[in-house]
Amino acid sequence: MQATSYLPFCLILLVVLVLFPCSRYPLTTQQYVGCSLTTPWCGSWNRKYSILETQNPKSIAHSAETTHHPLDPLSIQEINKVRAVLSSYGPFSSSFPAIHSLSLDEPEKSVVLGWKKGDPLPPRKAFVIALLNGKTQVLLVDLDSSRVTSHSTHQGSGYPTLSMDDIQVALRVPLSDPEFNKSIMARGVKLSDLACISPSSGWFGPDEEGRRIIKIQCGSIQDTANFYMRPIEGLTVTVDIDRKEVVRISDTGREIPVPKGTNTDYRYTAQDRPPEMEPINPISMEQPKGPSFRVEDGHIVKWANWEFHLKADQRTGMIISQAKVRDSETGELRSVMYKGFASEMFVPYMDPDEAWYFKSYMDAGEFGLGLTALALVPLNDCPRNSYYMDGVFVASDGKPFIQSNMICVFERYTGDVGWRHSETFLPGFNIREARPKVTLVARIAASVGNYDYIFDWEFQTDGLIRVKVGLSGMLMVKGTPLENIHQAPNQDDMSGTLVSENVIGVVHDHFITFHLDLDVDNTDNSFVKVNLVKEETLPGQSPRKSYLKAKRNVAATESDAKIKLKLYDPSEFHVINPSKRSRLGNSAGYKIVPSGTAASLLDLQDPPQLRSAFTNNQIWVTPYNRTEQWAGGLFVYQSKGEDTLAVWSDRNRPIENRDIVLWYTLGFHHIPCQEDFPIMPTVSSSFDLKPVNFFERNPVLRAAPNFEKDLPVCRPTASS
Amino acid sequence: MQATSYLPFCLILLVVLVLFPCSRYPLTTQQYVGCSLTTPWCGSWNRKYSILETQNPKSIAHSAETTHHPLDPLSIQEINKVRAVLSSYGPFSSSFPAIHSLSLDEPEKSVVLGWKKGDPLPPRKAFVIALLNGKTQVLLVDLDSSRVTSHSTHQGSGYPTLSMDDIQVALRVPLSDPEFNKSIMARGVKLSDLACISPSSGWFGPDEEGRRIIKIQCGSIQDTANFYMRPIEGLTVTVDIDRKEVVRISDTGREIPVPKGTNTDYRYTAQDRPPEMEPINPISMEQPKGPSFRVEDGHIVKWANWEFHLKADQRTGMIISQAKVRDSETGELRSVMYKGFASEMFVPYMDPDEAWYFKSYMDAGEFGLGLTALALVPLNDCPRNSYYMDGVFVASDGKPFIQSNMICVFERYTGDVGWRHSETFLPGFNIREARPKVTLVARIAASVGNYDYIFDWEFQTDGLIRVKVGLSGMLMVKGTPLENIHQAPNQDDMSGTLVSENVIGVVHDHFITFHLDLDVDNTDNSFVKVNLVKEETLPGQSPRKSYLKAKRNVAATESDAKIKLKLYDPSEFHVINPSKRSRLGNSAGYKIVPSGTAASLLDLQDPPQLRSAFTNNQIWVTPYNRTEQWAGGLFVYQSKGEDTLAVWSDRNRPIENRDIVLWYTLGFHHIPCQEDFPIMPTVSSSFDLKPVNFFERNPVLRAAPNFEKDLPVCRPTASS
């Protein structure tokens, strides 16, 4: 959920005060947009800053940063240089375009793979997406020559990721509309208590084409910071973003009361008493000798037997590149994954009503998982001893800004067991062997409006990578006259669950599609479906009637690798290197291991499903193609679905023994319940990338156990 | 896997040395059976005791223990009393039977529910299963009156759980068989290097009925403690346990070499070098003020908002009873689950060969998950600050013995987030709220022969219970002439993966079926399937073509609650209390949330599947019936499947608004890989029991965040 953005009363005051300037894009704070904390008239209502803010680690000085690796994101200097190039670029000389994306154009894979530390960096280039006069401009800027080397205008459907300026502009538009103001007041909401969100419009046919439109819906912040739970139901303003005008107002819910604010504020300072439970003593993951990982040159994470490049990204949040693991026998660093990231999301709501049908968010491409990943809260989002990494992003004016502390990296010990064995029945051998499991986690938390998505990439010493997505934050709720479900004629007719008086938590799904460019021991790999098939024995062959047999099927083309998971037709899914055999002749491989997940059940021809056709299967495999990064297309906003993974894959290209990309979609169905109100306990699921005949044997066989003598000596602090 | 038990060379020496007596069943060590550590001729080969043993917490004195709660297990005094009663019981006066189970006969549920602390304990009774002259005896002994109050002889198929004496006897039988000895020597294995396992026989037709039989297979311990990886393939001795005689010897694999011992020993002391990775600094979960839970009266665990009764059990390992959670609004303790435990397991191997077809273990009922759950290894199986609980079990002579440190309870902080939200676009409100997740775990690790099963019950403050099963230990492997898969005519014809030279890891499944007697706010509950169904919109109704709707179906009878999970026909599965409504009218409920799992694909008429028909569905619901505890039947060994959950459920009893039991099967398919050799990194999966409209709102809304000032101050120890 989604994709929403909030214009609080502060912005309304903005209008009232004739655009008194708020300081924007400061280079040293984590806030992208908004009133500065020192602007006195901002947040006059009960503004209790989170006390957790005081615990933020110090920011790093980025202005002097240089780049060290071909995949390092653009530095502040590089961004400024690109901006200068664009400013003096002929076609933009009369009018500087709105920048929607300005980021590293990653060098060709072969160039990156050929580069070694100490080599000069390959030519640095910027990939720029900008809007000028309603047209999407796509440019390449060469930083060495300071020239625009390529420039085209996008012709198909879809627009770039919304900028904060787009949202600010859109949120202001309804305020000048008398009909809108009248409706707000008619519902008993003071304009100074208004807070609005900007759901994306989706795409629902020809009359929405040719211009950028967005929906505006509002709630009340009276008595709460959680206006998400106080929706003004049924009032939807469709706004033309570029013309800054109201296209249409739909006002259907005047009879629906605005839910009360009681018990909706989730901030610690707003609580009047502790929870009904015995207090929990302090517990902490302690590393008195410090964590075992290091981050070299700003982006290379080295830990135990792993090395990878980690960077923040405005669109996808976090990118893992060139993940390599050390061979347990030879000590050689071996390639596992060239690039892994959350490529797109799809979050359809299950309500066809006028104010709800369009809610079918694609958060990565529409709003940006990095742009919405604010500073993590130390000790609470991430444990002690975490390392925090900033993002250097670009605003619509082309200027860089810092998204501080948006990634944390930490070493984790959960009390889980790496491997173990006790000898039950073997006297003479008193064997009790167990090894603790310690892992390394890289995390972001994207707050896309109401919802919070926690993305974890967890690396294990046994070679496994677990990718986990946690959902928290607020439900997207619907106002209703109901205060008790007994007032409903038919509970099954509700689009969700009554989670508080006058508040329905609407049923919805979440799908997160990951781009997993595995390169197992090199680029040329194959995808093998290892199907477990029931075999019947022949008469007289065995007292057993049946058994399972593993049958290997190498996928020749893309159509062989479109996978819908089936409990009663199970398979393992391996990405192998057919040229790399173990001493026993098994191909070195990694398998993708799904865990709990969900599939999209929407009609394949439903516009949201057409646009998100990348969720039509749980697994896809495509040949590597530099431009196929975004499962929903490069230009997702209002797209019609011509540039999705499903479309690319329909070409049915060969995928055997070549550079391939694995795509996996992690899904959640969410039927809300009262426990999700007013803020949801985290729900999470994950999938694993797991070595399969990649190592000659258990790579952590020789790992040492924990000994008491090595563990820290701790005492409570004076205050605790 | 399984179910195997090991007669090492020590026992062979036993035979040679004319049964020199080993000390058995000592009350103060965790070893059930075997040579005492001071018997000098035991383990003369390279006996390196695990250095981890020295870290064991001190044992508790049990001899003076008294019982405090109706569900407390029998104390040592009570067991001794029952033994005395049985000794003087008429039918046993001439011959004391072999005791296979002697445990508390839990009082009627209504009695337990009516009992309050301070009340006298309800009458204490023992439930005894014994074998006398090949017949299974079932007795009830009343401890107050010191009388046998009930005694019957079991008539159907199936035998009680094997005793250690059974296994010892069976393992000795082949040694006196010249054909067996000749075959061992013909394969180049010295008799002094022999170690044998005792796979259960299963049931495969009439010629196996009427007597207790078991299979004996052996390996070599030359050059390794890991004889599991050195199988003597194809040599299977079928033994009549009670007659102590060889029934049949099958010797088909003389051409198959015994795999080498190189690189198979997993013990820390057997390693010659560290793993190929940078060392990991000490990391530890620290609680300088101590853990927040307490264990009252030996078995009542109280932590945060949870209370439950926890005990060890010889058959199932660990039983959680009367789990209650505190209401977040009223502070009232509310019932969630009357009883939860692993009821049965099913582990079929996928090889129809003579030496493999019977391998279809049912470990709980055949071998006992408690009996095989040895002492946990502190700091490695469980973190610092764990509380260790012993089991008081009964040997076949009716005497009590202590299974020490077999359960650990610990508080856990993993760095995960309980809930969070950052305001992305709301300037003026600088909101960054996050709460750490702290949980409580109860754990055992059952080493059923080669395989280790780690069972976790994890309690969260948000009301969720996660039940997790981890698999580690050794594969059950098959000897093969192959040293490289290129020597195989067809890789798909192998029954598994070549995991080392001459070693095939055979494909197998694991199914663990949990008995979950949920009592949501009281005993009378209903099972509701909340099905997500695709609805199509009417023409003109909405720009959307489709959406999902949650449709509630209350199960009337057992047949409505036989569930096969389907990705494309998704449902939630709620156990609700129809009489307990929230203020909004929602029924208080808990839902079971599956995660990654697997289904059995065997032919329904295959003997192993008949016996394990409880795996035919992933979910079942039965009306509460005191005798329906064991999904595979009370007498599983050699059973024909007449007493399974599937049979009970076929009566199709009403289950609406009454006391019901939920059954869930967690499954794993396991296609081995080289990383599983010589010991498997833990693989785990889980399911959740999660409140759904049970609380009026998020029960951890008011929880406090972590503050730096409350966390401990730690330093490394001098040695680290």
Side-chain angles (χ1 to χ4, degrees), chain A residues 5-6 8 35 47 50 53 164 228 263 266 273 276 278 281-282 284 286 289-290 292 294 304 328 349 352 357 374 379-381 384 412 414-418 420-426 428-429 432 436 443 447 449 452 468 472-473 484-485 498 501 534 542 544-546 568 582-586 595 601 603 606 618 674-675 677 679 682-683 690 693-698 702 706 708-715 717 719-720, chain B residues 5-6 8 45 47 50 53 164 227-228 263 266 273 276 278 281-282 284 286 289-290 292 294 304 328 349 352 357 374 379-381 384 412 414-418 420-426 428 432 436 443 447 449 452 468 472-473 484-485 498 501 534 542 544-546 568 582-586 595 601 603 606 618 674-675 677 679 682-683 690 693-698 706 708-715 717 719-720:
Chain A
S5 42
Y6 287 80
C35 304
R47 189 171 67 188
S50 166
E53 281 301 296
M164 295 307 292
Y228 303 96
N263 288 324
Y266 52 91
R273 58 196 168 110
E276 293 289 344
E278 300 196 32
N281 289 342
S284 176
E286 290 297 331
K289 296 182 78 175
S292 315
R294 57 187 192 279
S328 63
Y349 281 76
Y357 74 87
L374 301 194
L379 306 185
N380 290 285
D381 274 326
R384 249 187 183 178
R412 162 144 80 178
T414 66
D416 279 338
V417 178
R420 84 173 313 278
H421 185 62
S422 293
E423 263 308 326
T424 317
F425 300 114
L426 183 58
F429 291 84
R432 308 274 182 276
R443 172 176 292 171
S447 300
D452 290 55
K468 189 161 87 167
S472 188
N484 189 296
I485 58 166
L498 195 68
E501 287 82 0
K534 182 175 77 167
S542 169
R544 274 275 281 276
K545 283 192 193 307
S546 62
Y568 280 88
S582 75
R583 72 181 197 284
L584 306 173
N586 292 309
S595 179
L601 307 179
D603 192 299
D606 206 349
Q618 285 78 55
Q674 285 184 241
E675 286 81 0
F677 181 91
I679 187 163
T682 309
V683 172
K690 192 176 176 189
N693 304 314
F694 182 86
F695 296 109
E696 292 287 359
R697 59 182 60 86
N698 180 340
R702 299 194 303 271
N706 270 338
E708 181 70 37
K709 67 178 175 59
D710 297 329
L711 296 186
V713 178
C714 302
R715 60 176 171 78
T717 53
S719 71
S720 68
Chain B
S5 43
Y6 288 82
W45 176 79
R47 189 171 65 190
S50 167
E53 281 302 295
M164 294 307 291
F227 45 88
Y228 303 96
N263 287 326
Y266 52 91
R273 59 197 168 108
E276 293 289 344
E278 299 197 32
N281 289 342
S284 177
E286 291 297 331
K289 296 182 79 175
S292 315
R294 57 187 191 279
S328 62
Y349 282 76
Y357 74 87
L374 301 193
L379 306 185
N380 290 286
D381 274 325
R384 248 187 184 177
R412 163 145 79 181
T414 66
D416 278 338
V417 178
R420 83 173 314 280
H421 185 62
S422 293
E423 264 307 326
T424 316
F425 299 112
L426 182 58
R432 307 275 182 276
R443 171 176 293 171
S447 300
D452 289 55
K468 189 161 86 168
S472 188
N484 189 295
I485 58 167
L498 195 69
E501 287 80 1
K534 181 175 78 169
S542 169
R544 274 277 279 277
K545 283 192 192 308
S546 62
Y568 280 88
S582 74
R583 72 181 199 284
L584 307 173
N586 293 309
S595 180
L601 307 179
D603 191 299
D606 205 349
Q618 286 77 56
Q674 286 184 238
E675 286 80 0
F677 181 91
I679 188 163
T682 309
V683 172
K690 191 177 175 188
N693 304 313
F694 182 86
F695 296 110
E696 292 287 359
R697 59 182 61 85
N698 181 343
N706 271 338
E708 182 70 36
K709 68 177 175 56
D710 296 330
L711 296 187
V713 178
C714 301
R715 59 176 173 78
T717 54
S719 71
S720 68

Side-chain angles (χ1 to χ4, degrees), chain B residues 9 15 34 91 135 294 306 339 396 444 473 593 691:
Chain B
F9 72 109
V15 175
K135 299 284 182 197
R294 57 187 191 279
W306 282 101
K339 193 173 181 180
S396 19
I444 64 165
V593 186

Side-chain angles (χ1 to χ4, degrees), chain A residues 255-557:
Chain A
E255 75 291 358
I256 299 172
V258 176
K260 292 198 176 64
T262 325
N263 288 324
T264 60
D265 206 330
Y266 52 91
R267 293 173 301 165
Y268 182 56
T269 51
Q271 308 310 316
D272 56 359
R273 58 196 168 110
E276 293 289 344
M277 60 182 73
E278 300 196 32
I280 291 177
N281 289 342
I283 179 168
S284 176
M285 250 187 282
E286 290 297 331
Q287 306 182 273
K289 296 182 78 175
S292 315
F293 67 89
R294 57 187 192 279
V295 182
E296 292 182 356
D297 294 339
H299 295 282
I300 304 290
V301 181
K302 296 187 176 182
W303 172 76
N305 48 349
W306 282 101
E307 285 193 24
F308 57 92
H309 185 278
L310 174 67
K311 63 179 169 185
D313 182 80
Q314 203 157 339
R315 179 163 177 165
T316 183
M318 174 166 62
I319 297 175
I320 309 284
S321 299
Q322 295 198 285
K324 296 173 199 166
V325 68
R326 207 166 287 283
D327 187 87
S328 63
E329 304 305 306
T330 65
E332 171 204 5
L333 264 182
R334 295 170 62 189
S335 165
V336 174
M337 185 175 72
Y338 183 72
K339 193 173 182 181
F341 60 93
S343 173
E344 193 49 271
M345 298 183 62
F346 175 42
V347 187
Y349 281 76
M350 302 302 172
D351 191 322
D353 281 4
E354 172 68 14
W356 280 81
Y357 74 87
F358 50 86
K359 292 179 180 175
S360 54
Y361 302 97
M362 297 168 79
D363 285 332
E366 292 183 339
F367 295 91
L369 299 178
L371 196 55
T372 56
L374 301 194
L376 294 157
V377 183
L379 306 185
N380 290 285
D381 274 326
C382 312
R384 249 187 183 178
N385 297 303
S386 292
Y387 171 94
Y388 292 86
M389 190 182 282
D390 299 341
V392 177
F393 293 163
V394 181
S396 18
D397 57 6
K399 290 183 182 165
F401 69 94
I402 306 298
Q403 194 90 325
S404 66
N405 301 332
M406 67 167 275
I407 299 178
C408 70
V409 181
F410 61 92
E411 210 169 0
R412 162 144 80 178
Y413 167 64
T414 66
D416 279 338
V417 178
W419 59 258
R420 84 173 313 278
H421 185 62
S422 293
E423 263 308 326
T424 317
F425 300 114
L426 183 58
F429 291 84
N430 189 7
I431 299 176
R432 308 274 182 276
E433 296 280 347
R435 298 295 179 274
K437 179 179 280 191
V438 179
T439 64
L440 184 82
V441 178
R443 172 176 292 171
I444 64 164
S447 300
V448 196
N450 50 326
Y451 248 99
D452 290 55
Y453 293 97
I454 303 163
F455 291 87
D456 281 2
W457 285 76
E458 180 173 26
F459 296 82
Q460 299 189 179
T461 54
D462 62 6
L464 184 145
I465 305 174
R466 176 160 294 174
V467 182
K468 189 161 87 167
V469 179
L471 315 177
S472 188
M474 260 65 69
L475 293 172
M476 179 154 278
V477 301
K478 184 178 188 179
T480 171
L482 299 176
E483 296 191 333
N484 189 296
I485 58 166
H486 295 135
Q487 296 163 347
N490 181 353
Q491 200 186 332
D492 277 358
D493 278 349
M494 292 166 61
S495 59
T497 309
L498 195 68
V499 296
S500 186
E501 287 82 0
N502 309 119
V503 182
I504 290 173
V506 175
V507 174
H508 57 282
D509 292 338
H510 303 259
F511 301 101
I512 306 102
T513 298
F514 287 87
H515 173 108
L516 304 163
D517 182 1
L518 298 188
D519 282 357
V520 178
D521 266 326
N522 210 329
T523 52
D524 288 354
N525 288 176
S526 292
F527 179 73
V528 183
K529 198 168 120 178
V530 185
N531 195 201
L532 278 172
V533 179
K534 182 175 77 167
E535 302 272 306
E536 302 278 349
T537 55
L538 302 170
Q541 182 193 349
S542 169
R544 274 275 281 276
K545 283 192 193 307
S546 62
Y547 58 101
L548 302 190
K549 188 152 256 186
K551 305 214 166 179
R552 300 164 57 84
N553 298 290
V554 180
T557 64

Side-chain angles (χ1 to χ4, degrees), chain B residues 601-623:
Chain B
L601 307 179
L602 294 182
D603 191 299
L604 293 179
Q605 298 307 314
D606 205 349
Q609 191 63 40
L610 272 175
R611 302 173 66 222
S612 301
F614 52 88
T615 61
N616 292 355
N617 299 300
Q618 286 77 56
I619 294 175
W620 314 67
V621 179
T622 56

Side-chain angles (χ1 to χ4, degrees), chain B residues 27 62 65 73-76 79 102 312 314 390-394 400-403 406:
Chain B
L27 269 172
H62 292 277
E65 267 184 340
L74 295 180
S75 68
I76 284 176
I79 293 168
L102 194 168
Q314 204 157 337
D390 299 341
V392 176
F393 293 163
V394 181
F401 68 95
I402 306 298
Q403 194 90 327
M406 67 167 276

Side-chain angles (χ1 to χ4, degrees), chain B residues 427-694:
Chain B
F429 291 84
N430 189 8
I431 300 174
R432 307 275 182 276
E433 296 280 346
R435 298 295 178 273
K437 179 178 282 192
V438 179
T439 65
L440 185 82
V441 177
R443 171 176 293 171
I444 64 165
S447 300
V448 196
N450 51 326
Y451 248 98
D452 289 55
Y453 293 97
I454 304 162
F455 291 87
D456 282 1
W457 285 77
E458 181 173 27
F459 295 82
Q460 299 189 178
T461 54
D462 61 6
L464 184 144
I465 304 175
R466 175 160 295 175
V467 183
K468 189 161 86 168
V469 179
L471 314 177
S472 188
M474 261 63 70
L475 293 172
M476 179 154 279
V477 300
K478 186 177 187 179
T480 170
L482 299 176
E483 297 191 334
N484 189 295
I485 58 167
H486 295 133
Q487 297 163 347
N490 182 351
Q491 200 185 334
D492 278 358
D493 277 348
M494 292 166 62
S495 59
T497 309
L498 195 69
V499 297
S500 186
E501 287 80 1
N502 308 119
V503 182
I504 290 173
V506 175
V507 174
H508 58 282
D509 291 339
H510 303 259
F511 301 102
I512 306 101
T513 298
F514 287 86
H515 172 109
L516 304 163
D517 183 1
L518 298 188
D519 282 356
V520 177
D521 265 325
N522 211 329
T523 53
D524 289 354
N525 289 176
S526 293
F527 178 74
V528 184
K529 198 169 121 176
V530 185
N531 196 202
L532 278 173
V533 178
K534 181 175 78 169
E535 303 270 306
E536 302 278 348
T537 55
L538 302 171
Q541 183 194 348
S542 169
R544 274 277 279 277
K545 283 192 192 308
S546 62
Y547 58 101
L548 302 191
K549 187 153 256 186
K551 304 214 165 178
R552 300 164 57 85
N553 297 290
V554 180
T557 65
E558 289 175 281
S559 66
D560 299 329
K562 295 179 181 175
I563 308 287
K564 290 183 174 68
L565 301 174
K566 289 182 186 140
L567 187 64
Y568 280 88
D569 180 15
S571 294
E572 288 193 354
F573 308 101
H574 297 198
V575 172
I576 62 156
N577 185 327
S579 313
K580 183 71 188 288
R581 301 274 181 166
S582 74
R583 72 181 199 284
L584 307 173
N586 293 309
S587 296
Y590 259 72
K591 61 179 174 182
I592 181 160
V593 186
S595 180
T597 194
S600 182
L601 307 179
L602 294 182
D603 191 299
L604 293 179
Q605 298 307 314
D606 205 349
Q609 191 63 40
L610 272 175
R611 302 173 66 222
S612 301
F614 52 88
T615 61
N616 292 355
N617 299 300
Q618 286 77 56
I619 294 175
W620 314 67
V621 179
T622 56
Y624 175 80
N625 179 330
R626 198 168 178 280
T627 67
E628 295 176 3
Q629 301 271 327
W630 308 107
L634 178 59
F635 301 108
V636 161
Y637 199 83
Q638 287 181 262
S639 67
K640 296 156 71 172
E642 318 110 301
D643 185 27
T644 70
L645 170 56
V647 172
W648 316 332
S649 195
D650 267 350
R651 282 177 278 169
N652 202 18
R653 295 161 289 186
I655 54 171
E656 189 176 349
N657 201 9
R658 60 185 65 205
D659 194 357
I660 54 176
V661 176
L662 180 69
W663 305 79
Y664 179 72
T665 296
L666 179 61
F668 299 82
H669 295 302
H670 189 169
I671 304 175
C673 58
Q674 286 184 238
E675 286 80 0
D676 294 335
F677 181 91
I679 188 163
M680 287 171 48
T682 309
V683 172
S684 61
S685 193
S686 63
F687 65 90
D688 294 341
L689 299 171
K690 191 177 175 188
V692 56
N693 304 313
F694 182 86

